[in-house]
Amino acid sequence: NAGVTQTPKFQVLKTGQSMTLQCAQDMNHEYMSWYRQDPGMGLRLIHYSVGAGITDQGEVPNGYNVSRSTTEDFPLRLLSAAPSQTSVYFCASSYSGTGIYGYTFGSGTRLTVV
Amino acid sequence: SQELEQSPQSLIVQEGKNLTINCTSSKTLYGLYWYKQKYGEGLIFLMMLQKGGEEKSHEKITAKLDEKKQQSSLHITASQPSHAGIYLCGADGTGGGADGLTFGKGTHLIIQP
């Protein structure tokens, strides 16, 4: 089991460029979510999904789009990157009653926007 | 929206000493998760608490959820260099795993030899 796989691990973008951060899980988890981690801010929820075709906004959704066409994949799109989006991005998956194992996190994507 | 406040923000402890990290919520906690993060790496799940008064242990780490379900504490006994890192508490609205986690800002733990 690979768990939650995020690609790429590192990325440098120019302001205004677009890109997609990939997230895939092979645990058949129903739920997936995206977070950004900034120094001194902890992790903040961007978007989450409770199943294929269903997404909702978290605490900091502006500038990001998501879709979920399959249970396994939950990509995060930056349509026009801004320096304020420089951060470390984490994807997580979970399932109903996720008590014993918690939310499973990927290893993160470190994004720099110049 | 729910807010989680962690204290202290940072902690320097001599190896072998005990320590406690607190997490206080602005709302009732239905699912409280503790994670550890080594610098520059991903999050490692430690344990999850749901019931008021619940206590769980993993190796030398014990976490408790108070009866009123608005505060949790993480206690490390006889700290070791491997305990160093960032400890994060997180909560989801229902405890059911569906709506993502709200996190505290983290506690940076340094273990001095």
Side-chain angles (χ1 to χ4, degrees):
Chain A
N1 264 356
V4 178
T5 303
Q6 290 186 239
T7 56
K9 293 193 182 301
F10 300 94
Q11 183 71 49
V12 179
L13 283 180
K14 293 183 178 179
T15 297
Q17 284 185 320
S18 63
M19 81 159 295
T20 300
L21 307 185
Q22 301 292 345
C23 176
Q25 55 97 1
D26 63 356
M27 298 171 286
N28 203 30
H29 284 177
E30 307 145 80
Y31 314 132
M32 297 185 75
S33 46
W34 274 103
Y35 305 81
R36 59 177 290 172
Q37 185 176 31
D38 302 296
M41 298 295 294
L43 279 83
R44 292 180 290 170
L45 180 65
I46 304 172
H47 286 285
Y48 63 97
S49 169
V50 298
I54 307 170
T55 64
D56 207 345
Q57 297 181 349
E59 180 186 354
V60 289
N62 292 340
Y64 307 96
N65 280 353
V66 292
S67 60
R68 190 155 176 218
S69 55
T70 67
T71 301
E72 295 78 19
D73 300 298
F74 191 41
L76 179 72
R77 297 184 188 84
L78 285 70
L79 297 179
S80 179
S84 60
Q85 293 179 304
T86 293
S87 188
V88 181
Y89 291 86
F90 288 99
C91 177
S93 72
S94 51
Y95 59 94
S96 178
T98 187
I100 299 176
Y101 303 108
Y103 288 61
T104 303
F105 282 80
S107 57
T109 295
R110 189 173 295 271
L111 176 68
T112 302
V113 182
V114 298
Chain B
S1 60
Q2 186 167 33
E3 294 184 359
L4 297 178
E5 185 169 338
Q6 283 187 242
S7 61
Q9 291 183 349
S10 61
L11 194 53
I12 301 173
V13 173
Q14 194 172 14
E15 184 177 351
K17 298 294 186 183
N18 302 338
L19 64 105
T20 299
I21 297 168
N22 293 305
C23 177
T24 302
S25 174
S26 60
K27 295 183 178 182
T28 299
L29 291 163
Y30 292 101
L32 189 284
Y33 302 76
W34 282 101
Y35 284 87
K36 178 187 173 185
Q37 184 181 31
K38 289 211 175 273
Y39 296 100
E41 297 183 11
L43 279 71
I44 300 167
F45 174 66
L46 296 175
M47 56 197 87
M48 185 261 201
L49 305 164
Q50 277 188 303
K51 301 174 184 176
E54 187 174 13
E55 180 176 321
K56 289 185 178 178
S57 294
H58 175 68
E59 298 179 345
K60 293 186 177 180
I61 300 176
T62 300
K64 301 178 184 180
L65 183 62
D66 77 355
E67 291 286 348
K68 294 183 179 179
K69 296 178 66 176
Q70 286 201 266
Q71 187 174 56
S72 178
S73 59
L74 185 84
H75 184 77
I76 298 177
T77 303
S79 57
Q80 301 169 351
S82 61
H83 289 130
I86 304 170
Y87 287 82
L88 296 153
C89 65
D92 62 19
T94 61
D99 47 1
L101 288 169
T102 296
F103 281 95
K105 293 183 179 180
T107 295
H108 293 247
L109 175 61
I110 297 171
I111 307 295
Q112 281 187 335

